[in-house]
Amino acid sequence: MSEPMIKEMYINLFDLLLTMAQATDLVSPKIHNHHLQVAYIVHNLANEMNLSPDKKDDLVVAGALHDIGALSLREKLQILTFEYKETWKHTELAYALLKLFDPLIYVAEIVRYHHCRWDDEETMAGESPDLKLASNILHLADRVAVQINNKQHVLGQVQRIRDRIKIESGKMFMPDLVDTFLQLARKEYFWLNTVSPSLPSILKHHVALKSIKLDMNGLAGLTNLFRKVIDFRSRFTATHSSGVAAVAEAIALKVGFSRRDADKMKIAGFIHDFGKLAVSTEILEKPASLSRSEAYIIRCHTYFTFRILEPIPDLYEITTWGAFHHERLDGTGYPFHLTAQDLSLGSRIMTIADIFTAITEDRPYRKRMPPEKALSNLQRLAARGKIDPGITSLTRKHVEEINQVRLSAQQSATSEYSQLLQLPGPPIP
């Protein structure tokens, strides 16, 4: 009989979603803090317009997530162009992803239309006035943010940005909203906060989104959304976290974890590569050997997974299980060079789940290997004191069952990926 899921977690939704925005904005200095800047600008505009607390909350979350549908660095940089017109792909993909988590359904609608012009009556025909207003607020905030040049003092740019927005009054933007912005733009603190290195702290101080109660199923649903945002940027990674999560859960049950802890292990698998949001798709899909600088970027991803998720207390154990998957028992792993005494059973399981899954997947630089070869690699690492020998032996004993679990999870992820992007998914052996 499975263990009942009786304990719930109180997770601050904004704190959790802010982590995704921070990770995404690490991919290039050119978009540093872009999502956070948009969230902050939206928050101020909503305050000036005296919107209700719920409407402000939805807008701030939409600001923090508005470009998650832009998969490649090239696309992310193109969107920074003020009048960029090929916007449908990333907005529709963001909408398709966000609506998968029920508390974000209305946010998904706002994001879907956040590049619609105010004078475009056709695209949003039939949508509510509230949605049209919300999406236009997000549009204006986004277009203000993209005009800020980080190489110049922000106060010297205010007049130029005000003039550019004013030109679009009644065309790209709602006239009353433009007037509100022009009044807000007169306040120096607004601009100084927008470009402040302390913007995450400023946002947390000013934005008090209510915590939401999540049981394990709810947390799994949210982190499964994270998994898709992380993995679906490349066909080579589209099924990776689903496979790692399934293998980690299966091994955890074999080791003797309770049903609840095995569920937590699965969630850790969903977020173990969270820091790869800071790695460009161009690097993930590079068919040749990585340059030294590219290898450094890849090597940072587990550091970002840990540091970005670390401040969320209820996720700390899950975060350590996921983030330490490149550590090794003899201290030769990265980025913290932890040793056996520092690595929990959960972290050791995740390491083996990640290695086994990665070896049995295609990569741009090599073809997948059969499970037998994956086991041989695990045994060599265990013999050299790198990974846990007991978990390795258990994996070998149950390899057919564990591999079948991986296949099933990754086939499901392939189907999700193909439907979402309407592209052929990666082949699963």
Side-chain angles (χ1 to χ4, degrees):
M1 181 180 295
S2 62
E3 178 182 315
M5 297 180 187
I6 56 174
K7 183 182 177 184
E8 293 171 324
M9 297 183 179
Y10 287 87
I11 303 288
N12 185 293
L13 182 60
F14 184 63
D15 282 352
L16 199 51
L17 296 176
L18 192 65
T19 64
M20 184 180 292
Q22 288 175 288
T24 301
D25 286 352
L26 287 170
V27 73
S28 169
K30 293 182 179 179
I31 58 173
H32 177 64
N33 270 357
H34 174 68
H35 282 87
L36 303 190
Q37 288 180 342
V38 173
Y40 178 73
I41 296 169
V42 158
H43 170 70
N44 281 270
L45 289 170
N47 273 340
E48 293 287 324
M49 300 186 78
N50 294 314
L51 298 187
S52 70
D54 285 346
K55 290 178 180 178
K56 285 194 288 188
D57 287 355
D58 286 335
L59 269 167
V60 171
V61 173
L65 300 177
H66 68 283
D67 279 344
I68 66 165
L71 302 184
S72 69
L73 177 57
R74 179 183 178 185
E75 187 175 11
K76 292 177 188 294
L77 295 176
Q78 286 175 334
I79 294 168
L80 299 182
T81 304
F82 187 85
E83 293 185 339
Y84 181 63
K85 292 181 170 57
E86 300 297 324
T87 60
W88 65 270
K89 184 177 179 181
H90 85 275
T91 55
E92 285 297 319
L93 181 53
Y95 167 72
L97 286 166
L98 292 173
K99 72 177 183 178
L100 297 174
F101 184 60
D102 286 349
L104 297 181
I105 288 177
Y106 186 64
V107 169
E109 293 279 1
I110 297 173
V111 170
R112 185 183 198 183
Y113 294 117
H114 82 273
H115 278 289
C116 287
R117 296 171 58 94
W118 182 255
D119 59 6
D120 179 3
E121 297 294 338
E122 183 177 347
T123 303
M124 294 193 69
E127 301 293 352
S128 70
D130 280 351
L131 178 58
K132 186 174 182 181
L133 172 61
S135 64
N136 201 237
I137 291 174
L138 180 54
H139 190 188
L140 186 145
D142 183 36
R143 296 301 88 183
V144 169
V146 302
Q147 292 183 83
I148 298 174
N149 185 341
N150 294 327
K151 296 180 180 180
Q152 300 173 6
H153 198 288
V154 69
L155 295 183
Q157 305 176 59
V158 172
Q159 191 59 51
R160 170 180 58 79
I161 296 172
R162 291 178 82 254
D163 290 345
R164 187 69 183 87
I165 297 298
K166 189 174 181 179
I167 289 172
E168 297 295 340
S169 180
K171 296 179 285 186
M172 188 178 288
F173 308 119
M174 173 188 178
D176 288 349
L177 175 58
V178 171
D179 292 342
T180 299
F181 166 72
L182 294 177
Q183 290 300 313
L184 179 64
R186 297 170 59 188
K187 303 173 182 179
E188 288 86 354
Y189 84 89
F190 164 73
W191 295 102
L192 296 174
N193 279 347
T194 300
V195 299
S196 171
S198 302
L199 184 55
S201 299
I202 293 170
L203 268 171
K204 288 183 180 181
H205 177 73
H206 288 285
V207 179
L209 299 191
K210 51 185 175 291
S211 295
I212 59 173
K213 186 188 297 182
L214 292 176
D215 60 16
M216 292 302 292
N217 288 329
L219 184 58
L222 181 57
T223 52
N224 195 31
L225 166 62
F226 283 18
R227 185 264 301 179
K228 293 173 183 176
V229 174
I230 296 162
D231 283 3
F232 284 6
R233 295 181 303 136
S234 168
R235 69 184 185 89
F236 290 104
T237 62
T239 69
H240 177 66
S241 293
S242 61
V244 171
V247 171
E249 178 189 23
I251 295 175
L253 289 171
K254 297 299 181 186
V255 167
F257 274 34
S258 68
R259 177 67 262 175
R260 175 180 173 78
D261 282 343
D263 289 333
K264 289 165 64 177
M265 183 59 66
K266 182 176 183 178
I267 290 168
F270 285 158
I271 57 91
H272 81 287
D273 271 346
F274 191 85
K276 278 191 177 175
L277 288 172
V279 180
S280 72
T281 304
E282 289 79 356
I283 292 177
L284 294 176
E285 296 189 333
K286 186 174 180 179
S289 298
L290 298 180
S291 68
R292 182 172 296 182
S293 61
E294 290 167 340
Y296 290 156
I297 292 171
I298 287 286
R299 208 170 177 84
C300 290
H301 81 274
T302 48
Y303 172 84
F304 289 135
T305 296
F306 182 72
R307 288 300 180 209
I308 292 173
L309 294 173
E310 181 187 17
I312 304 176
D314 279 343
L315 287 183
Y316 187 77
E317 183 177 43
I318 290 173
T319 296
T320 61
W321 289 355
F324 296 158
H325 64 275
H326 282 295
E327 301 293 339
R328 298 293 181 257
L329 300 182
D330 62 355
T332 60
Y334 65 87
F336 300 108
H337 292 262
L338 303 177
T339 59
Q341 64 183 2
D342 307 309
L343 294 170
S344 67
L345 183 57
S347 297
R348 297 177 186 213
I349 290 171
M350 189 61 64
T351 294
I352 291 174
D354 180 67
I355 295 171
F356 181 84
T357 304
I359 291 175
T360 53
E361 295 172 321
D362 280 334
R363 286 289 185 265
Y365 49 86
R366 63 154 172 82
K367 289 293 185 181
R368 60 182 177 266
M369 302 176 190
E372 296 76 19
K373 192 157 187 178
L375 280 173
S376 296
N377 277 270
L378 290 174
Q379 288 177 307
R380 280 196 295 272
L381 290 171
R384 292 164 55 197
K386 304 287 186 183
I387 63 176
D388 192 289
I391 301 172
T392 300
S393 296
L394 192 67
T395 302
R396 181 174 184 82
K397 180 179 178 180
H398 299 282
V399 66
E400 291 186 10
E401 179 183 348
I402 289 171
N403 191 54
Q404 189 54 51
V405 166
R406 175 191 69 84
L407 285 170
S408 178
Q410 293 191 303
Q411 285 166 352
S412 178
T414 296
S415 177
E416 293 172 336
Y417 176 76
S418 299
Q419 291 176 20
L420 194 65
L421 274 68
Q422 297 183 336
L423 297 169
I428 296 298

